[in-house]
Amino acid sequence: HLTGDIHAVTAANNLLAAQMDARMFHELTQKDGPLYDRLVPKIKGLRKFSPIQIRRLKRLGIDKTDPDSLTEEERTKFARLNIDPTKVMWNRVVDLNDRYLRKITIGQSPTEKGFTRETAFDIAVASEIMAILALGTDVDDIKQRLASMVVALDKSGNPVTADDLGMTGALLVLLRDAFEPTLMQSLEGTPVLVHAGP
């Protein structure tokens, strides 16, 4: 794996893809109330929004911090991303060029309840996450760029971001060891800093 950067990018990229598909599945199979309860569960009798959920509420124009104060309409707006399965832009990645993965169908297991869609694999170094890792100026800049990645459009044509999926923190954790360059040496023994991908 050389520096491990490509592996970290692959893990982060595919986690985001898996979360997006899981979210689409749960929105298809649950009513608004139970979906909201899963996103903002009661813990010891209390509901509390996480910081990433507060950011989503602000983007939606909902200026409330108490989960129990949201109207039914606000709860639905918050809980449902309404991702259009034909407008998903985020593919899974693998670190090799496998032509048979350029177009695939996912969701064929009976547990997916008939929710299938066409998607594809890209090569890992082509992931937007790799570009962010290579170009980010510091951890805060990388965090902001990851949060803003558009993964799909909703059924109204609005962008759905990694932050809407609540994934920014998880992506940062997976990438944390790849933030800094790796000190290696050439075959001749010359020190060299290696960072990110081609």
Side-chain angles (χ1 to χ4, degrees):
H1 292 284
L2 197 66
T3 66
D5 290 3
I6 295 173
H7 177 76
V9 167
T10 300
N13 188 101
N14 293 344
L15 177 66
L16 181 54
Q19 169 60 12
M20 179 178 53
D21 286 322
R23 181 63 175 267
M24 292 166 68
F25 174 80
H26 287 297
E27 287 189 22
L28 283 171
T29 58
Q30 292 184 35
K31 295 187 183 309
D32 293 348
L35 184 61
Y36 184 78
D37 290 342
R38 276 184 173 223
L39 291 170
V40 194
K42 283 188 178 179
I43 299 171
K44 296 182 182 176
L46 252 78
R47 284 187 207 266
K48 186 178 177 187
F49 286 126
S50 68
I52 202 164
Q53 290 174 327
I54 297 281
R55 288 197 303 268
R56 174 156 169 73
L57 287 167
K58 286 183 180 174
R59 281 193 304 278
L60 293 171
I62 301 170
D63 193 26
K64 295 180 181 177
T65 55
D66 177 10
D68 293 321
S69 70
L70 269 66
T71 65
E72 290 299 317
E73 183 181 334
E74 289 170 335
R75 287 179 184 214
T76 299
K77 193 174 177 184
F78 170 79
R80 294 209 174 268
L81 297 176
N82 288 319
I83 294 171
D84 182 342
T86 66
K87 300 284 195 251
V88 172
M89 302 166 207
W90 197 260
N91 292 333
R92 286 165 172 79
V93 296
V94 64
D95 190 29
L96 55 96
N97 187 7
D98 186 342
R99 67 182 312 110
Y100 286 96
L101 293 177
R102 291 179 185 166
K103 189 172 187 180
I104 62 170
T105 303
I106 60 170
Q108 295 183 352
S109 168
T111 57
E112 305 314 305
K113 302 181 181 178
F115 170 62
T116 62
R117 71 177 183 87
E118 284 188 355
T119 186
F121 273 82
D122 295 324
I123 194 160
V125 293
S127 172
E128 184 174 349
I129 293 175
M130 181 61 86
I132 289 169
L133 178 65
L135 298 173
T137 56
D138 56 33
V139 175
D140 289 333
D141 180 53
I142 290 170
K143 180 180 179 180
Q144 182 57 44
R145 289 172 186 257
L146 290 171
S148 302
M149 291 185 305
V150 175
V151 297
L153 299 178
D154 67 18
K155 291 175 182 168
S156 302
N158 300 310
V160 177
T161 65
D163 215 45
D164 289 324
L165 286 163
M167 293 298 298
T168 308
L171 298 176
L172 278 171
V173 168
L174 287 171
L175 294 169
R176 74 176 184 268
D177 291 331
F179 289 156
E180 300 295 332
T182 304
L183 179 62
M184 302 181 76
Q185 68 178 0
S186 69
L187 292 174
E188 293 81 18
T190 306
V192 60
L193 291 171
V194 180
H195 184 50

